[in-house]
Amino acid sequence: MNAQPRIYPGIDQNQALNSESSSLLIRALAGTGKTTTLAIKAADLIHTKGARSVLMLAYSDAGIKAIAARLTRFTTLQPEDLQLLTLEQLCAQIISEQGDPVPLLASGLEKNLLIEQAYKALTQRIKRHAQSEPPELSDYFARPLDISAFLAFEAQAKQRMLERSIDDSGLAALDYCRENALDYGLYRLLQSYERLRLGPTQEPLFYAPGDCTYALACQIAALDFDAIFPLLHQRFDAVLFDELQDLDEAALLVLRHLARGNGRFIGVGDFNQNILPGASCIFGDSAQRILQELPADTAQVTLNTTYRFGPVICQELNQRFGVKFDAHYPNATAGFEHRFGDDDSCARQLLDIHAAVAGLPHQPQDRPAALHIILRSSEDSVLLEWLFSHEGVHYACKGMQRFYQRREIALVLAMLWAMKGCSGDALLTQGILNSAAEGLMRYVRHASPPDQDLLANGLFDMQALGDTPPESDTRRIASELIGQQQAMRRFFASILTPGSAATKLLALPADQCADAGQLCQHPLLRQFFAQAPISQEELRQCLRSLQALSRICTGLSVDEFLGRLSLMVQSSIVQHQRQEKPSLQLLTVERSKGHEFEYVAVPFVDARHFSSNASDSQRNMLYVAMTRAKKRLWVLERR
């Protein structure tokens, strides 16, 4: 971008660093050094102001890693010089200090099975009181259980403190749901689930992600507004909080006591980067919601000057998102390019962009430039990985597995390899077979019917969750299956139920292997995933993966497809063994957040992936993707 070193702190950063306010809210756009400003301030508070107890918080694990990196890079502080926690970790710590154990749920799959138990418990209760139940419940039970819908409802209900809102409204729960267009059946299921999770003694059987923040928020909500919460009062000399844009209503209750009772408070956020469901979507002056929880004398500072990219990209972002970026380097050569095309055209254009970036001159001691391609979803990488590999591009996946190692796709590849019409000549690597075994264990696990008496008495039947099949050492299984097609078939037979969709698929005639793409869309394969004990969202993700896989192998026989895939994998292994540096990286928007790259391309931009609606988090996703670029940015939209 330029030869000038990055200068810290800048003018607007100094305004924040020099503020003597006991409470400060920093609104910061991308690349303006917001996390660095927090790190420098932490060092100042400890070394200059004598602070002895400093807490640095972020909403996410990625945010914590970003803070740790800035502490190491820009200060003499080390993470051990202060407490560095996510908000959920802090809340778990507080609950533990109250003398309560904080057992964590082992997996999302176990939670899905427990939701099914809560559904059965609710069914029992409804049957006993059928005459007094409203018609909404009949409508709800007329539909199959949608675990994904429940998980979304639960997250929203806890993040937005639904029970508190119902109590404050003075309405009965049914009337509140009717007035606010909420699904009363999902509300009752949430009540049933929480009743079983808390148990008769109100001592939680387990905590799932987000439950600790919600539990602490419930304690705080029971207090008068001005009352103190002892375990959060005068606990820290200073609290520095990053990622304020992601806070939900439950988190904001915790924020209030952190900000009002602990010496200095500094909070920072890029409020265009809100991409989490349930968070307070904050644009422009609507940050007032956060200010409501901060002290009345809270000062505000805005960081608009970006050190990441130059005026050309600033102009595009300002026009597209209505923000006010200023470039620190006004003469920067950073550029923006807008391209159009369908999926295939986008993929081919990415090859051209990669070639241009890879051909840029560089000093012998420097690594060649790399192109970072930011995707809305991991399924979008399948077509690109297939094309890049066959064109000889050395690519890497950042924060996600290569498509053939994702368990749902690896399992399908193993199924294709085990079918009668496949010669078995293609070599599936241990990594693929390991992922396939993991997928099989996940998708065929079945729970036993829960004890109805336990459910009636307000207890989950944890014994009914069952275990994964006995052959659970997937690495060992994979090593024994390499090149052993017959052993693969026996392994499937040992796990699958006779007559199941997968068993029927494996028994299809040999001529069905003439087109691998058609097999990937076969009704039996889709039925297999539809019958798996997974949420509707995970099912949709599996089906999207099947569709993406089908696209690259349509018209190829199973043998030809697996043969090409085997060559693709072996080439990747050789590149790794030679320690060759990839010239292209694929990553999702979520994984890119908090990072910056010299050359960025954002493909497949359309209404399905990135919305232009100002109230839609998809718009924020596009903002995050586009603001990762330092030197050059390409946006490829569908026509």
Side-chain angles (χ1 to χ4, degrees), residues 79-108:
E80 57 266 24
D81 293 328
L82 39 72
Q83 287 197 63
L84 186 56
L85 302 169
T86 66
L87 182 62
E88 179 75 358
Q89 289 169 344
L90 173 67
C91 293
Q93 187 179 100
I94 299 298
I95 291 171
S96 180
E97 289 178 11
Q98 293 174 328
D100 298 325
V102 187
L104 301 178
L105 193 63
S107 69

Side-chain angles (χ1 to χ4, degrees), residues 118-150:
Y119 183 82
K120 291 176 181 177
L122 177 61
T123 303
Q124 288 181 3
R125 295 171 69 88
I126 298 303
K127 286 181 178 178
R128 290 195 297 268
H129 307 285
Q131 299 300 320
S132 59
E133 297 292 354
E136 282 88 343
L137 283 182
S138 297
D139 295 339
Y140 177 72
F141 282 103
R143 307 188 300 270
L145 172 63
D146 185 340
I147 291 178
S148 180
F150 172 78

